[in-house]
Amino acid sequence: MNMEKKALEALLSIAESIYDQLKNGEIPEVKISTRTKYNIEFNEESEVWVYGDRTSTRTAKTLKGAYMMLRMAYVMGFIKDQLRINKSSTLRELYYISENWGPAKFDDQSDSDRLIEDLEILTAFQREHFHIRPEEDGATVIGPVRIREETRRGVREIHCQDDVGEGGYQIPVNVDKLEFVDHDAKFVIAIETGGMRDRLVENGFDEKFNAIIVHLKGQPARSTRRLLKRLNTELDLPVVVFTDGDPWSYRIYASVAYGSIKSAHLSEYLATPSAMFVGIRPTDIVKYKLPSDKLTEQDIKALNAILTDPRFDTDFWKAEVKLQLDLKKKSEQQALAKYGLDYVTDVYLPERLTELGVLKA
């Protein structure tokens, strides 16, 4: 039985449960894991953060809850029809399709996105198994790795240095269909911003250090995180993350290494717990005398929230966040250009990667 068929059976079991409750004269309800930082716990075996035992109940006792149940029924019906004819749709398309659902119409796309996440948690399947695709275009990879992928014109092999332009190889939505053929890489570096990614490529960082450069494009898509996970576990390559020096960027690192709170049900599939944080650290702002901006009220609030986030409950993060609160400053990756365009690849990254043990002294 393929995954799509199993996913459909899991969806139909939810519908059957709601039907049975109605048939028995009960007000239908479903229980689902609470998605907050207070309901994630560390799984010792997989070394990632997953949902704990806290649940919330979605019930038709209230008008709001009844509408939620109605929308869930419509979405499950839509997915059933979609799988039957082997079609797919984007999260955005699903939202617009609900325009035809009368009272079940979604008021905002965030509501339909959240309902798909609910169904993932309830069924233990991923939205891709429902043939629901994200909107984001793929991030990119450039580096010494050869991959094999299925295309509409058959199977092809691509070397992510020799066979691509400076834009690199675009990561597909379903990374599990890729096969790693061979590689000469020593490590993987995941980079937040396009400007810094381009700087490393232009400076030949991937060739000089046998590095696979992955552009995160800000908060990384699931496909990007899955690729990092596979490169780490299947090719035994260390993964390092290089971001701006602000609380929002630290959360980008956390989503790669620990798993995001919103998708903790997928942490074992997406997270790379051994991923290391390169910077920009608050320590770097001081050590390298980096140009900086003043923290905003939102930045300060986010930093204080990190101090209560269990994913950051380490001596390193506590010390760095407290230092940043004292400094009241934040810096971007490209602030290193203060010392010239080659400084980041000739000095900063080699120093940090040596400190982390990725490069040998």
Side-chain angles (χ1 to χ4, degrees):
M1 185 184 297
N2 62 31
M3 294 299 284
E4 285 80 3
K5 189 171 182 179
K6 291 179 180 178
L8 179 57
E9 287 187 354
L11 280 175
L12 293 178
S13 70
I14 299 172
E16 289 170 0
S17 173
I18 294 173
Y19 175 80
D20 289 341
Q21 291 176 70
L22 288 168
K23 185 178 178 181
N24 294 329
E26 302 169 358
I27 298 175
E29 64 179 33
V30 293
K31 292 186 182 297
I32 189 166
S33 296
T34 303
R35 278 173 281 179
T36 70
K37 66 182 179 182
Y38 303 108
N39 189 40
I40 57 172
E41 56 188 33
F42 188 71
N43 184 304
E44 297 286 349
E45 184 176 348
S46 61
E47 298 183 310
V48 297
W49 290 87
V50 298
Y51 288 130
D53 297 328
R54 294 187 184 185
T55 60
S56 58
T57 301
R58 310 288 171 81
T59 174
K61 286 182 179 179
T62 65
L63 183 61
K64 181 180 178 181
Y67 274 121
M68 185 280 298
M69 287 282 188
L70 181 63
R71 289 168 181 144
M72 180 178 286
Y74 266 89
V75 169
M76 289 190 292
F78 169 75
I79 292 172
K80 176 186 174 184
D81 293 340
Q82 178 169 269
L83 291 175
R84 180 174 54 82
I85 60 176
N86 196 30
K87 289 281 189 178
S88 66
S89 57
T90 66
L91 290 166
R92 188 66 174 169
E93 287 173 326
L94 172 61
Y95 166 64
Y96 281 123
I97 284 168
S98 79
E99 290 281 342
N100 302 309
W101 293 351
K105 172 186 176 294
F106 289 104
D107 297 324
D108 189 86
Q109 187 183 337
S110 62
D111 296 330
S112 55
D113 288 354
R114 185 174 179 83
L115 199 150
I116 290 295
E117 291 168 2
D118 286 347
L119 292 176
E120 286 185 315
I121 296 171
L122 290 168
T123 63
F125 285 92
Q126 298 160 41
R127 65 190 180 201
E128 288 78 11
H129 297 135
F130 306 147
H131 288 192
I132 300 290
R133 295 178 282 108
E135 286 300 319
E136 63 257 340
D137 56 336
T140 58
V141 178
I142 193 163
V145 60
R146 186 185 308 277
I147 62 172
R148 182 180 294 125
E149 70 170 346
E150 295 179 18
T151 71
R152 291 193 298 175
R153 296 177 177 82
V155 177
R156 67 169 181 166
E157 288 189 3
I158 303 169
H159 190 279
C160 294
Q161 277 177 328
D162 300 341
D163 301 332
V164 300
E166 289 190 357
Y169 168 77
Q170 184 165 312
I171 301 171
V173 172
N174 191 345
V175 173
D176 286 325
K177 288 187 176 180
L178 298 181
E179 179 184 347
F180 300 129
V181 179
D182 55 54
H183 75 94
D184 297 311
K186 296 292 192 296
F187 64 95
V188 180
I189 181 165
I191 302 176
E192 176 185 357
T193 66
M196 184 53 70
R197 178 263 179 207
D198 293 346
R199 171 55 46 213
L200 265 63
V201 172
E202 184 176 306
N203 287 7
F205 185 84
D206 55 310
E207 296 173 330
K208 182 177 180 180
F209 293 98
N210 289 335
I212 297 175
I213 300 172
V214 178
H215 180 202
L216 295 177
K217 293 188 69 174
Q219 187 65 39
R222 291 182 183 185
S223 56
T224 307
R225 287 183 280 157
R226 177 59 180 163
L227 180 67
L228 292 171
K229 170 84 168 181
R230 288 193 60 198
L231 289 168
N232 174 251
T233 58
E234 295 176 31
L235 302 185
D236 197 29
L237 294 173
V239 173
V240 298
V241 182
F242 184 25
T243 71
D244 287 337
D246 61 54
W248 320 105
S249 298
Y250 306 152
R251 289 177 180 178
I252 288 173
Y253 164 73
S255 72
V256 171
Y258 312 136
S260 68
I261 294 173
K262 190 174 77 167
S263 60
H265 57 293
L266 298 174
S267 290
E268 294 181 1
Y269 175 77
L270 299 177
T272 305
S274 62
M276 295 173 277
F277 184 70
V278 175
I280 299 291
R281 305 168 298 170
T283 300
D284 294 330
I285 298 175
V286 177
K287 179 178 179 181
Y288 297 95
K289 298 181 175 61
L290 295 179
S292 59
D293 295 314
K294 184 178 179 181
L295 292 175
T296 66
E297 290 184 11
Q298 290 80 8
D299 292 331
I300 293 171
K301 183 178 179 181
L303 285 168
N304 282 314
I306 284 176
L307 290 175
T308 62
D309 188 329
R311 297 174 300 168
F312 291 93
D313 189 18
T314 66
D315 291 341
F316 168 80
W317 280 111
K318 287 179 179 177
E320 291 292 338
V321 170
K322 288 177 181 177
L323 172 61
Q324 190 155 28
L325 287 169
D326 290 340
L327 293 173
K328 297 182 174 60
K329 296 178 180 178
K330 59 183 178 181
S331 284
E332 298 180 356
Q333 294 177 303
Q334 288 164 293
L336 290 161
K338 166 186 177 180
Y339 299 107
L341 295 178
D342 296 338
Y343 187 81
V344 63
T345 51
D346 290 352
V347 180
Y348 177 77
L349 284 175
E351 283 184 359
R352 284 292 293 132
L353 293 172
T354 300
E355 289 173 10
L356 293 171
V358 176
L359 296 180
K360 294 182 180 179

